Amino acid sequence: MTSELHFWQGSFIGADEAADRLAELPAVVERALAEPLSAETVLVACDTLGRALRDPDGDVHAGLLVHLTEGVPATDRAEAAATLAEIADALARPALERKLRRELGGPRPERFTRPDARETVYEAWAPVGLVVHIAPGNAATVAPLSVVEGLLAGNVNVLKTSSSDTPLAQHLLAELAAADPTGAIGRRIVALRFPSRRQDLMRLLCAPADAVAVWGGEDAVRGVAALIPPGCRLVEWGHKISFGYLTRDAARDRDSLAALATDVCRAEQQACSSPQVIYLDTGDHGDAGTGTDSGTGTDSETGTDSGTDGDAAASAVADELFAFAERFAAVLDEVSAGFPAPHPEPEADPAEQAEITTTELVARAEQHLGLTKVITADDGSWRVFADVRPTLTASPLHRTVWIKPLPRQEITATLRPMRRYLQTASVGGSRADIARLSRALVTAGVQRITPLGAMLDSYHGEPHDGVYALQRYSRRVSVQATGAEFAATPCLDDLIAPAAPPAAPTGPLMDKSAAQDQLRSLAPEHAQLYFRSGGTTGAPALSVFTCDDYDTQMRASAHGLLAAGFDPARDRAANLFYCGEMYGSFISFFSILERLNATQIPMAAGPDHEAIAEALVTYQVDTLFGMPSYLWQLFHTQRERLRSYGGIRKVFYGGEHFTTEQRRILTEEFGVLLIRSAAYGSTDLGPLGYQCAHARGTEHHVLTDLHTLEILDPQEDRPVPAGQPGRLVFTTRTRAGQRLERYQIGDLGRAVDGVCPCGSRTPRIELLGRYGDVFRMGTYHFNYRRFTRAAEEHLGYRGELQLVLTSAADREHLTVRLDERYAPDPDEARTTLLAHIPELGSAAGAEALLTCTVETADTLAFERTPTSGKLRTVIDRRASVTA
């Protein structure tokens, strides 16, 4: 082993040291597995490395380019750069998140969550342990990307590449480890470079393995299989054969032939998905499905020997086949000329050239028997061998292709014996042909069906050789929990401290205007769902999501709702959030309840309170979801009906908060047993937090699966001391659409110290209102919450409260608006507020910096946002007054 080309858990080591460390591999694996690795950590590191690879002037790109071209002529630098670009695309976070969703169900597969929220059964994907990757020598991207797959599944990974390979894989994985500030990724990677003939090292490598992924032919797979221990999972990525299949119509279409010829020329047929054979559908479709037996050898009408007819049919097939071969050869000649000459790397070596020559000589000899037809390029750059026998035959590659007949009704009989080796079939024909032939080919054992010209293409998340790699590198595990204490536990992992918190965000702060500016450059595929905010604090703002973004957020919020006390197995919920005009509350909670498999009556908030109350009784609803201001109106306009019904047991609210006095009324007069926040969130960021059974007031747990939270000083960009109030600044991590990083949501809050009595280790915050709740008037700062608290504590007030700020030429004016059903005499209310809000008493007293009045009104006269129905708590009209 060369001394400098072995990467071991974060550093490069020499040959002797690598051999010594292999003997200690079992202990190394045990120590590494004791530290859980989150998929989030891998995603962040991969995305960081991917961005570095896209910078052609960066040190990472330049260094890896040197390693990739080591021993390769400089003319191949363009191909090397293309390889790095391919790796960068594969490492991009959206691509890997899509892979996780497709293969393991979501971006955090390692977390123990409830697949059916109605049961306290938890499932997760766990690593198999140690995965050994024995990489091929003909694909530079395979080795490092296979290790990335092992990391996404949480495994410790040991990679072995050939001693003749470039050191790209080792150095690329070293850069990946360097991109992870936690060091967890580096501790799970070992990348060695030695020949497979070193059986002593191969045995040390395979002995502790829980899974071995091996690329190569049958001999290579058998050699590795002999070394692995009992129970070790062998993941074979062996050599495969691919082919094209053309109907008669497609065989006459020059564009179809050109597309297939392109597949032949790309990569010199070195990929498993390259076509080695082109099958021509030579069957008589007029007899398809008639049930006629075509193998009797006797004409059923005349009784004469049909052997002559059979010979004639065979001759016709041969003529058709050979004529097609001539047409295809002409197209291949044109297409091949448009491709550059084969690079030195895929050029046929002496053994391969001997195989090409031997195959051609045998085919030419069989021409005299009428079995074959050989057509070759004058310069030897391509070869077409037509053969009337349909048996699948491997090509010697390097732009060498077989042409064979295969009636569609004989696909299964002909190809199924070779099913272990089949991979890709490219089908040309009508839409109905493609549907029928795809089913027949899959039945025969084919794994992939592609359009002509796309055999070597792939899409993010595509299964490989008929399986999902991440599932082969994982175990599906479960925990069955009993007892009422687990009913409100959505995720077992929340009960333990996270292994490594995400790195602290950096960069400038974002506000709403910056988020709106970002929309102008957003790619269309990242803008699939459009929502507008309710406009409570200003003009409605637009937010967009991908469908995957939305699904991830709704599932996270559903987990929070379980913690809040919603029981999807028993509760009957009415969704009374507002709907329409692109507002997201109703739609979101419909989706959340759907993901919980809950019973729901999706009614939406409406002005006909009587009809809604009647439906609640008719459908035996016991749980309400909605805005506090709307639910408060509903309970009071339908007081007698709902009190008589007495069936409303739970209320989950959002967007606003119930006061202590309002909670008392709902509990004592209407029999509500549980009143809790349904979620803390916003239209632009989505769900941000949730309440548990032990949450007090406005306390919420942060949804750390989705976001990283900072609490910054109200005036400066620095963290506040522990427990002090500040601006809530969120960075959303699971978002392919809008990338909101260090986003100032407009809320104030403080961190709540200690571990929550519910057992969850996720951080908690206490919400302290919005920036708009704090206003300056008459040289003093006022907080809306001071007014509501004073009214509740000293007036026994239980209704809504609204502040209206105006100004005249000489002074400013503050109007406190109260619900006439619960308000005392306005003068009494004013006196009480002046007495218990000292700043107000000073400003409206002898100094007369402002005037203050209290007015009472019907709650329907209070100003609300038209979209969400939220109460406008502070209405500042001073800006509209001119001097």
Side-chain angles (χ1 to χ4, degrees):
M1 294 191 292
T2 310
S3 61
E4 74 276 10
L5 294 181
H6 311 292
F7 181 74
W8 191 288
Q9 292 187 304
S11 60
F12 284 91
I13 61 174
D16 293 339
E17 187 176 358
D20 292 341
R21 291 193 183 188
L22 274 176
E24 303 172 359
L25 188 56
V28 169
V29 173
E30 291 172 8
R31 288 194 298 270
L33 288 175
E35 176 190 8
L37 177 66
S38 71
E40 171 68 18
T41 300
V42 181
L43 290 172
V44 171
C46 287
D47 198 54
T48 300
L49 177 56
R51 289 197 300 270
L53 289 176
R54 293 187 192 94
D55 179 9
D57 299 322
D59 293 340
V60 173
H61 185 278
L64 293 176
L65 193 65
V66 170
H67 293 301
L68 186 57
T69 57
E70 188 174 280
V72 178
T75 53
D76 275 358
R77 289 182 64 84
E79 183 180 349
T83 298
L84 293 182
E86 180 183 348
I87 294 174
D89 289 343
L91 293 177
R93 180 164 186 146
L96 294 181
E97 283 188 343
R98 184 178 184 183
K99 185 178 185 67
L100 284 168
R101 286 189 176 93
R102 281 177 179 264
E103 301 188 28
L104 299 182
R108 297 295 301 275
E110 74 277 8
R111 288 173 61 79
F112 272 109
T113 57
R114 289 152 64 168
D116 187 340
R118 297 170 296 184
E119 303 171 350
T120 53
V121 173
Y122 302 85
E123 293 185 5
W125 287 100
V128 294
L130 170 62
V131 178
V132 174
H133 308 259
I134 302 176
N138 64 342
T141 63
V142 166
L145 294 182
S146 182
V147 172
V148 168
E149 290 177 328
L151 289 169
L152 285 171
N155 294 289
V156 178
N157 300 268
V158 180
L159 169 68
K160 188 208 83 72
T161 61
S162 170
S163 57
S164 62
D165 286 343
T166 71
L168 172 69
Q170 284 73 15
H171 288 274
L172 183 70
L173 292 172
E175 294 290 352
L176 178 61
D180 171 29
T182 71
I185 288 178
R187 290 187 286 274
R188 289 181 181 246
I189 298 176
V190 173
L192 308 174
R193 189 166 175 247
F194 63 87
S196 296
R197 64 176 177 272
R198 288 290 305 271
Q199 290 293 288
D200 56 330
L201 300 179
M202 290 292 290
R203 289 189 183 91
L204 291 173
L205 190 65
C206 294
D210 298 290
V212 176
V214 56
W215 283 259
E218 292 181 337
D219 291 342
V221 173
R222 276 196 298 268
V224 172
L227 299 175
I228 65 175
C232 178
R233 185 180 295 177
L234 183 63
V235 183
E236 300 180 40
W237 307 114
H239 292 324
K240 301 292 182 180
I241 297 178
S242 300
F243 57 88
Y245 191 95
L246 301 177
T247 65
R248 281 195 171 96
D249 289 339
R252 299 186 188 99
D253 179 60
R254 190 194 179 284
D255 290 341
S256 296
L257 302 191
L260 197 48
T262 299
D263 282 334
V264 172
C265 294
R266 289 173 66 187
E268 303 304 320
Q269 293 178 294
Q270 297 298 301
C272 288
S273 55
S274 298
Q276 300 188 40
V277 179
I278 298 174
Y279 277 118
L280 190 61
D281 183 5
T282 55
D284 184 355
H285 302 161
D287 291 338
T290 64
T292 303
D293 186 352
S294 61
T296 62
T298 302
D299 190 296
S300 60
E301 294 293 329
T302 65
T304 59
D305 187 347
S306 61
T308 302
D309 292 339
D311 291 342
S315 178
V317 168
D319 291 343
E320 180 182 0
L321 191 73
F322 295 158
F324 170 77
E326 293 280 4
R327 294 199 307 275
F328 183 76
V331 174
L332 180 60
D333 186 55
E334 293 181 26
V335 172
S336 182
F339 275 77
H343 296 305
E345 184 178 3
E347 186 175 292
D349 61 27
E352 292 173 324
Q353 188 60 56
E355 182 185 5
I356 292 173
T357 302
T358 301
T359 303
E360 181 176 341
L361 289 174
V362 172
R364 287 189 181 279
E366 291 183 328
Q367 282 188 128
H368 301 291
L369 303 176
L371 298 175
T372 60
K373 183 178 182 64
V374 177
I375 310 169
T376 62
D378 294 337
D379 61 359
S381 61
W382 56 264
R383 290 151 293 277
V384 173
F385 302 153
D387 188 338
V388 298
R389 293 160 294 190
T391 304
L392 187 66
T393 305
S395 160
L397 310 180
H398 300 281
R399 306 190 192 183
T400 305
V401 64
W402 289 97
I403 309 291
K404 289 172 171 281
L406 182 57
R408 63 180 65 191
Q409 61 268 28
E410 297 176 15
I411 285 176
T412 301
T414 301
L415 296 179
R416 183 164 167 74
M418 298 291 288
R419 61 189 178 277
R420 289 183 55 202
Y421 306 100
L422 302 180
Q423 194 207 63
T424 302
S426 181
V427 179
S430 69
R431 187 170 61 162
D433 286 329
I434 290 172
R436 295 189 188 99
L437 292 170
S438 294
R439 179 57 61 188
L441 292 166
V442 167
T443 300
V446 171
Q447 308 291 354
R448 300 173 70 233
I449 309 294
T450 73
L452 302 174
M455 295 182 71
L456 279 70
D457 297 337
S458 63
Y459 56 86
H460 293 307
E462 182 178 17
H464 184 65
D465 287 352
V467 298
Y468 280 141
L470 295 187
Q471 292 185 3
R472 299 292 287 147
Y473 300 157
S474 304
R475 297 173 293 135
R476 188 65 173 168
V477 294
S478 65
V479 174
Q480 298 182 52
T482 58
E485 66 270 24
F486 286 100
T489 303
C491 177
L492 292 181
D493 298 270
D494 288 343
L495 303 180
I496 57 179
T506 59
L509 297 175
M510 291 182 64
D511 57 17
K512 283 192 174 183
S513 62
Q516 294 301 296
D517 291 342
Q518 192 184 79
L519 294 177
R520 299 188 182 97
S521 59
L522 205 61
E525 64 269 19
H526 292 158
Q528 296 170 328
L529 290 175
Y530 286 72
F531 293 110
R532 284 196 182 276
S533 64
T536 308
T537 58
L542 179 68
S543 295
V544 299
F545 302 81
T546 68
C547 292
D548 284 339
D549 292 341
Y550 180 74
D551 179 69
T552 298
Q553 292 189 344
M554 294 305 100
R555 291 185 185 280
S557 198
H559 292 163
L561 200 54
L562 288 176
F566 181 75
D567 184 352
R570 297 175 178 82
D571 295 343
R572 298 176 61 84
N575 184 350
L576 295 177
F577 280 103
Y578 279 80
C579 184
E581 299 184 17
M582 297 167 61
Y583 187 60
S585 289
F586 174 84
I587 297 170
S588 296
F589 277 94
F590 178 90
S591 299
I592 291 166
L593 293 170
E594 179 184 40
R595 282 155 178 78
L596 290 172
N597 292 324
T599 300
Q600 65 167 309
I601 292 84
M603 302 178 67
D608 192 343
H609 293 166
E610 183 177 355
I612 289 177
E614 182 180 354
L616 297 181
V617 176
T618 301
Y619 300 117
Q620 296 294 291
V621 170
D622 56 23
T623 303
L624 301 184
F625 286 81
M627 294 287 183
S629 55
Y630 180 80
L631 296 179
W632 186 249
Q633 294 177 52
L634 176 66
F635 273 108
H636 283 78
T637 59
Q638 301 299 308
R639 175 190 298 270
E640 297 306 320
R641 183 191 293 265
L642 293 180
R643 288 180 64 181
S644 175
Y645 170 51
I648 306 300
R649 292 290 177 258
K650 297 180 182 181
V651 170
F652 292 97
Y653 61 87
E656 304 167 323
H657 297 285
F658 283 108
T659 67
T660 302
E661 186 64 15
Q662 288 174 333
R663 289 170 179 267
R664 185 187 68 80
I665 295 296
L666 292 179
T667 300
E668 295 180 1
E669 294 192 16
F670 295 94
V672 178
L673 303 178
L674 184 152
I675 304 170
R676 197 159 287 149
S677 168
Y680 165 49
S682 70
T683 301
D684 33 23
L685 283 169
L688 299 167
Y690 64 91
Q691 286 199 323
C692 67
H694 297 271
R696 295 175 299 178
T698 60
E699 290 179 0
H700 286 76
H701 289 270
V702 179
L703 282 169
T704 52
D705 275 5
L706 305 178
H707 312 284
T708 298
L709 170 66
E710 301 172 84
I711 303 180
L712 303 182
D713 184 88
Q715 306 299 327
E716 301 178 23
D717 185 4
R718 60 177 175 81
V720 298
Q724 293 300 306
R727 294 172 292 159
L728 301 185
V729 177
F730 288 90
T731 294
T732 180
R733 301 192 309 275
T734 58
R735 190 89 168 261
Q738 282 184 283
R739 305 295 292 187
L740 301 181
E741 299 177 353
R742 306 198 77 198
Y743 183 73
Q744 302 178 90
I745 192 173
D747 287 343
L748 300 171
R750 68 174 187 88
V752 179
D753 295 334
V755 177
C756 182
C758 76
S760 174
R761 298 299 186 106
T762 57
R764 291 178 293 159
I765 53 174
E766 180 186 6
L767 302 177
L768 301 176
R770 295 189 59 80
Y771 299 167
D773 289 349
V774 179
F775 56 93
R776 185 177 179 86
M777 198 171 202
T779 75
Y780 288 92
H781 283 95
F782 297 95
N783 190 318
Y784 170 81
R785 289 173 180 264
R786 292 285 301 279
F787 287 83
T788 59
R789 187 163 60 246
E792 183 178 335
E793 293 176 356
H794 301 290
L795 293 173
Y797 181 70
R798 60 185 187 236
E800 295 176 313
L801 184 150
Q802 191 169 67
L803 302 178
V804 183
L805 318 181
T806 57
S807 62
D810 56 343
R811 69 185 65 189
E812 295 174 313
H813 185 77
L814 171 63
T815 301
V816 182
R817 186 175 291 164
L818 304 177
D819 185 342
E820 63 186 8
R821 291 174 297 180
Y822 310 108
D825 176 77
D827 290 336
E828 176 191 348
R830 179 181 183 277
T831 300
T832 301
L833 293 176
L834 292 177
H836 294 282
I837 303 177
E839 301 89 343
L840 182 63
S842 297
E847 299 180 14
L849 298 174
L850 61 82
T851 58
C852 175
T853 59
V854 175
E855 68 178 29
T856 61
D858 188 287
T859 185
L860 297 178
F862 281 45
E863 294 187 35
R864 306 177 191 277
T865 57
T867 303
S868 67
K870 288 184 184 178
L871 177 72
R872 294 186 62 192
T873 55
V874 179
I875 304 170
D876 192 344
R877 295 193 175 123
R878 290 174 294 177
S880 63
V881 178
T882 59

